[in-house]
Amino acid sequence: MDFKLCAIASGSSGNCTFLQAGSKMFLIDVGISGKKAVQGLSELGIDPYDIQGIFITHEHIDHIRGVGIFSRKHNTPIYATQKTWHKILTEKMIGDVKEENIKHLDKETNLEMDELTIFPYTIYHDAIDPVGYAFFYQNKKITIATDIGVVDEWIISHLKGSHGILLEFNHDINMLEAGGYPYYLKKRILSDVGHLNNEAAAKALTDIYHTDMQWAILGHLSKDNNVPDLAYLTAKMALEEKDIMIGRDIKVSVAKRDCVSEVHFI
Ligand SMILES: [Zn+2]
Ligand SMILES: [Zn+2]
């Protein structure tokens, strides 16, 4: 096993992903309470003190809710870009953080940790300095791609080559348009700095598929504007159109919103 990944929570109300590369263990975002994150880890048999770092994608509450408390309790380093740190600290969004646990990331620059390489890439989202992450270990690549307003060649170039991916399938456009969200919120979600709809995400998945890609986890589903079966079917249909069969060529699963999902390995 090179990589192990598990969504502890995934959706508009809270995101937290566990990632292991070799013997190193991390969290990507803690957008749930510190307690829930610890509970999720214990279901996975992981001691929270063994988490070597938390990688922040952006400062929205569904990504940072429990970061401060988790870090204070377990003395965990937190990695974020300079601008994201500035916003989080000046607006006191996660409480006090020990100086030694404030770790700055440079976008589009590799962060090397022994044999593991972490690459934060710019995404389009209405936060101060949002990033997705690609993790490289033993010639394998795992990508975290959520909270993406739009997929263009830039985004595709960073998703390509993934052996496993956590990809945003936020909403179904029809459900969003017909639903009860206020106009400004619909506009925000649909904008180029909002969230990825099922069709756009499914197209991205078919665009980046290669025969060494083992799995895709559909994540960050909206509670009100999506249902897991619809996200899954949209992905399935788009893949089948290109003769890529789930089960035969790739494994596809939908991350659960508020409990621990299936563990994926590479
Ligand atoms: Zn966000
Ligand atoms: Zn989010």
Side-chain angles (χ1 to χ4, degrees):
M1 180 207 73
D2 296 320
F3 277 114
K4 180 171 166 183
L5 182 140
C6 177
I8 291 175
S10 184
S12 314
S13 30
N15 295 276
C16 182
T17 305
F18 168 78
L19 177 90
Q20 183 171 352
S23 59
K24 290 186 166 52
M25 294 186 256
F26 304 97
L27 291 175
I28 297 111
D29 294 330
V30 183
I32 50 178
S33 70
K35 199 177 152 194
K36 269 198 168 169
V38 170
Q39 264 171 17
L41 287 172
S42 91
E43 280 179 47
L44 294 169
I46 308 293
D47 184 339
Y49 289 94
D50 289 339
I51 298 295
Q52 281 165 278
I54 303 168
F55 287 91
I56 306 292
T57 58
H58 64 295
E59 75 284 6
H60 288 160
I61 191 72
D62 59 319
H63 296 263
I64 62 164
R65 187 177 279 115
V67 169
I69 188 124
F70 190 98
S71 170
R72 282 189 289 279
K73 189 139 186 236
H74 308 103
N75 197 27
T76 323
I78 305 170
Y79 295 83
T81 71
Q82 197 106 21
K83 279 191 200 162
T84 299
W85 265 124
H86 182 74
K87 174 133 179 130
I88 285 176
L89 293 175
T90 53
E91 297 186 16
K92 300 192 184 337
M93 298 174 90
I94 60 169
D96 292 331
V97 183
K98 255 196 213 169
E99 198 68 39
E100 67 192 58
N101 287 330
I102 298 179
K103 306 281 187 191
H104 291 283
L105 281 175
D106 292 320
K107 286 197 301 185
E108 272 77 71
T109 305
N110 284 336
L111 170 69
E112 313 277 356
M113 285 188 189
D114 301 325
E115 288 160 56
L116 172 69
T117 300
I118 300 130
F119 184 85
Y121 63 94
T122 302
I123 54 171
Y124 311 112
H125 189 57
D126 51 1
I128 195 78
D129 197 25
V131 294
Y133 289 102
F135 294 84
F136 299 87
Y137 181 71
Q138 306 283 7
N139 293 320
K140 300 279 167 52
K141 176 181 181 181
I142 294 273
T143 309
I144 307 290
T146 63
D147 300 77
I148 296 176
V150 72
V151 173
D152 62 2
E153 274 177 36
W154 166 263
I155 296 291
I156 289 288
S157 73
H158 291 296
L159 309 190
K160 269 194 171 156
S162 302
H163 295 81
I165 188 167
L166 172 63
L167 180 61
E168 171 171 42
F169 273 64
N170 181 257
H171 59 275
D172 172 75
I173 292 182
N174 294 325
M175 279 182 76
L176 177 69
E177 282 175 346
Y181 276 21
Y183 176 71
Y184 78 90
L185 202 52
K186 289 184 183 178
K187 206 171 134 189
R188 184 214 148 212
I189 294 168
L190 289 168
S191 79
D192 283 354
V193 287
H195 289 283
L196 214 53
N197 67 66
N198 290 344
E199 272 80 18
K203 186 182 180 310
L205 183 57
T206 62
D207 285 348
I208 60 163
Y209 178 78
H210 60 114
T211 50
D212 287 330
M213 189 173 192
Q214 296 180 28
W215 45 258
I217 303 171
L218 321 184
H220 208 301
L221 268 68
S222 163
K223 186 175 159 207
D224 302 308
N225 303 310
N226 211 351
V227 279
D229 284 353
L230 188 55
Y232 181 86
L233 264 179
T234 312
K236 184 172 184 272
M237 278 159 55
L239 289 165
E240 282 178 4
E241 244 171 65
K242 297 213 168 173
D243 198 32
I244 305 159
M245 308 303 279
I246 294 177
R248 185 190 70 187
D249 304 315
I250 187 172
K251 178 176 169 175
V252 173
S253 67
V254 181
K256 292 180 187 146
R257 297 179 48 75
D258 46 19
C259 58
V260 174
S261 295
E262 190 189 338
V263 182
H264 287 65
F265 300 91
I266 292 284

